[in-house]
Amino acid sequence: MRSDIVKKGSTKAAHRSLFYAMGFTPEDLEKPLIGIVNSFNEIIPGHGHLKDLAQAAKLGVSAAGGTPIEVPAIGICDGIAMGHLGMKFSLPSRELIADSIEAVAQAHALDGLVLITNCDKIIPGMLMAAARLNIPSIIVSGGPMLAGCYQGKSISVSQMFEAAGQFESGKINSVELAAMEQSACPGYGSCAGLFTANSMNCLTEALGMALPGNGTIPAANSGARKMLAKRSGLILVDLVKKDLKPRDILTQQAFENAIALDMGIGGSSNTVLHLTAIANEAGIELPLSLFDAISAKTPYLTKLSPSGTHHLQDLNEAGGISAVMYELNKAGVLHTAALTVAGPLNDRLENAQTTCPDVIHSVDNPYRKTGGIAILSGNLAADQAIVKESAVENDMLVFEGPAHVFNSEDEVLEALLDKEVHDGEVVVIRYEGPKGGPGMKEMLNPTAIITGMGLRVALLTDGRFSGATRGACIGHICPEAMDGGTIALVENGDRIAIDIPERSLQLLVSEEELTKRRQAWVRPEPRFKSGYLARYAKLVSSANKGAVLV
């Protein structure tokens, strides 16, 4: 066993004595040492209940003949971090999570990992660690939050961000706002819509790194969640015995399955960033063109919040991710022979069925014949940009208007509250990319306020958008402004043309004029001169490469 290096031989007597200090027995040290990486904390609603899942996973590991050892992982709540300095740390925390798991697992020679996670950057961070370490690993998520209810309608945190715009425009009063606040998030779990966290949890099933139900069983269904965790612990020990490693599972076919599922359910645009980063750790390149190619042949089968009215609990009741993949397989977009932690993918599809056809449409009756995410290119995005096409209203798929330029999210928020943004404009938020931000902030606050105010505008950024974002919001524009991309050259009043069906994003300015502006452009001073964000800005790659550290 890998862990023998810290357990066996006379030279490890001191090591064994340290294990005995914690109550381990000599018999425990004869078994595989399994890290139970638990991101429990008391600041993220999706993580507050993970202690129970860790305990269930430990029981599974013990029953299978392993020795469970719980270790922590950090996490950031994107919702609480949104709209201020904290959001600059969200994406960079993904790298900290992966690095810290690598450090603990390598330093203690753990034989395998049960990765207990939830929420936006923690899930991909743990998957990156699994691919990098390449020791037997399995993902267990905390599950989605139930939707809240206000005045007889389902709501979630995304409606609360939009409620700020409704309040500022006088559509609701302070009493109504307070009542909504106390109704939107009824308990533990990752936020109830198909936002980034739940998108990634669903994709763990298609990647083969988690058991069926991992993406959709609600956190409130604690019995089913504990059962999933216990089974995962059992299976992980078997993976150790078989020496089945993440890179045996995270193959090119697995990533293509995940992309197809992503397109079929209309997941968060952030999944492109995270899948690319995970693939990088597995030694696989995922060009953005692959996402668009798979999207072109993948039908869009579910319309979950924020794009529709259904939530993850509805998808779970309708048959979950296995039922979605069963339908997608009819379209020929899946590699069913791909390995998972519990056999080939095809085994999961044999007994899958859709019980609510209004939630999971058939391939013969899709919401759209193509997938939920589109990759755009043009002179404004020479290295491409991303939009969640499934969340864009039909009358905004093709749009042209004058640019209204802002050099930070803070600037646009101030302008929105001062009623300085007007219908028909293309709002440009730049210097918010991985290097420029630094940290590539999500822009849910401005997009939600725009939606709440009822403004008909498009929004472009070299930053990114929350999975809760809806509307003509185009992010991940590359090269970013800090790298001298064309987005850095846009001036107020320039015409910008967006054509999502044609995958085009164009700044309607002559090349001669752009050359003059490029020659006059001066790179701004970094916003941070010390600390983690300063180091991150120096090391991070472009968004189209996954914003990984190089």
Side-chain angles (χ1 to χ4, degrees):
M1 286 183 288
R2 169 182 150 97
S3 60
D4 286 350
I5 196 171
V6 297
K7 300 184 306 185
K8 300 290 187 180
S10 61
T11 61
K12 300 303 185 291
H15 302 62
R16 290 191 294 274
S17 68
L18 291 169
F19 278 105
Y20 299 151
M22 294 179 285
F24 289 92
T25 67
E27 291 77 17
D28 290 331
L29 300 186
E30 292 297 322
K31 303 172 185 177
L33 301 185
I34 306 302
I36 310 296
V37 184
N38 185 5
S39 59
F40 163 80
N41 58 66
E42 295 182 343
I43 194 67
I44 308 178
H47 294 232
H49 60 306
L50 296 188
K51 282 184 178 179
D52 291 340
L53 299 187
Q55 186 61 32
K58 290 179 189 178
L59 291 173
V61 167
S62 295
T67 296
I69 304 172
E70 186 172 350
V71 296
I74 67 163
I76 287 175
C77 178
D78 277 25
I80 295 174
M82 194 73 66
H84 59 90
L85 173 65
M87 182 45 67
K88 292 181 182 292
F89 286 90
S90 175
L91 182 60
S93 75
R94 185 188 70 180
E95 317 306 310
L96 292 175
I97 291 162
D99 289 351
S100 63
I101 294 171
E102 177 193 12
V104 169
Q106 294 285 46
H108 302 100
L110 299 178
D111 293 301
L113 300 172
V114 179
L115 299 159
I116 300 178
T117 181
N118 230 13
C119 300
D120 293 30
K121 309 309 167 301
I122 302 92
I123 304 158
M126 289 195 178
L127 283 165
M128 288 168 68
R132 184 187 303 173
L133 286 162
N134 202 32
I135 61 174
S137 303
I138 193 168
I139 296 285
V140 179
S141 88
M145 186 186 293
L146 294 176
C149 184
Y150 177 70
Q151 295 183 343
K153 295 182 180 180
S154 294
I155 64 171
S156 68
V157 70
S158 64
Q159 280 79 24
M160 292 316 306
F161 280 100
E162 293 175 7
Q166 294 172 333
F167 176 77
E168 290 295 334
S169 59
K171 295 179 181 179
I172 60 174
N173 59 37
S174 59
V175 174
E176 292 170 308
L177 182 63
M180 291 178 70
E181 289 173 15
Q182 296 179 42
S183 303
C185 299
Y188 289 138
S190 47
C191 298
L194 192 63
F195 314 140
T196 304
N198 288 326
S199 297
M200 287 305 304
N201 275 331
C202 290
L203 296 193
T204 61
E205 295 189 39
L207 284 170
M209 289 296 293
L211 295 180
N214 186 67
T216 59
I217 297 172
N221 192 345
S222 60
R225 272 282 150 199
K226 289 177 183 177
M227 191 183 302
L228 182 77
K230 190 179 294 184
R231 284 177 172 164
S232 296
L234 285 163
I235 286 172
L236 191 278
V237 177
D238 188 53
L239 295 178
V240 171
K241 293 175 180 177
K242 292 177 178 176
D243 198 29
L244 186 62
K245 300 173 181 176
R247 292 188 197 176
D248 299 323
I249 296 169
L250 293 172
T251 62
Q252 180 74 33
Q253 289 187 340
F255 283 103
E256 290 181 7
N257 285 343
I259 294 170
L261 174 65
D262 198 16
M263 300 306 166
I265 62 177
S268 164
S269 59
N270 284 319
T271 56
V272 179
L273 195 71
H274 297 321
L275 285 175
T276 305
I278 298 161
N280 176 71
E281 297 289 356
I284 294 171
E285 186 175 352
L286 292 185
L288 296 190
S289 58
L290 178 63
F291 288 83
D292 214 43
I294 293 176
S295 181
K297 61 182 181 181
T298 303
Y300 173 45
L301 303 182
T302 71
K303 202 170 180 65
L304 305 180
S305 173
S307 303
T309 57
H310 295 129
H311 292 83
L312 269 292
Q313 66 208 64
D314 303 309
L315 180 59
N316 188 63
E317 292 168 5
I321 293 304
S322 293
V324 176
M325 289 194 291
Y326 177 82
E327 281 297 323
L328 289 176
N329 192 41
K330 295 178 184 177
V333 295
L334 295 181
H335 304 285
T336 58
L339 281 179
T340 76
V341 289
L345 180 63
N346 191 54
D347 289 355
R348 303 185 177 190
L349 307 187
E350 287 182 353
N351 298 315
Q353 59 177 329
T354 300
T355 58
C356 301
D358 60 323
V359 177
I360 303 173
H361 282 206
S362 70
V363 293
D364 298 321
N365 180 37
Y367 283 102
R368 280 211 330 266
K369 293 182 179 179
T370 58
I373 293 174
I375 309 298
L376 310 185
S377 60
N379 70 342
L380 191 46
D383 291 335
Q384 301 174 311
I386 296 171
V387 63
K388 188 173 180 179
E389 185 177 7
S390 59
V392 181
E393 296 294 335
N394 288 337
D395 66 347
M396 291 294 291
L397 290 170
V398 178
F399 187 81
E400 181 180 324
H404 194 162
V405 183
F406 302 90
N407 288 328
S408 70
E409 181 192 27
D410 293 340
E411 287 184 12
V412 74
L413 287 173
E414 184 177 343
L416 283 167
L417 296 179
D418 289 341
K419 312 298 188 295
E420 294 175 358
V421 175
H422 307 291
D423 280 347
E425 293 181 337
V426 178
V427 176
V428 177
I429 309 176
R430 62 192 180 193
Y431 296 107
E432 291 289 8
K435 297 176 186 176
M440 203 180 183
K441 291 168 68 175
E442 286 185 348
M443 303 291 170
L444 180 56
N445 263 12
T447 61
I449 291 172
I450 285 168
T451 299
M453 287 182 166
L455 290 170
R456 187 176 182 272
V457 301
L459 198 155
L460 313 181
T461 183
D462 52 5
R464 59 198 177 92
F465 294 111
S466 164
T469 294
R470 56 193 175 109
C473 300
I474 299 168
H476 304 210
I477 290 177
C478 298
E480 64 173 287
M482 201 66 173
D483 280 339
T486 305
I487 190 172
L489 311 179
V490 182
E491 296 181 358
N492 284 325
D494 288 347
R495 303 290 294 183
I496 293 176
I498 301 165
D499 192 329
I500 296 173
E502 294 297 321
R503 305 300 194 249
S504 175
L505 181 61
Q506 297 288 342
L507 176 63
L508 303 182
V509 173
S510 70
E511 189 57 41
E512 292 78 9
E513 175 61 22
L514 288 178
T515 298
K516 292 179 184 177
R517 294 183 189 180
R518 193 169 284 111
Q519 291 170 346
W521 177 75
V522 177
R523 186 189 307 274
E525 283 292 309
R527 287 173 172 156
F528 290 83
K529 303 293 180 63
S530 63
Y532 178 50
L533 290 181
R535 297 196 303 274
Y536 179 85
K538 292 176 182 177
L539 297 173
V540 70
S541 68
S542 176
N544 67 334
K545 301 293 184 183
V548 296
L549 300 186
V550 294

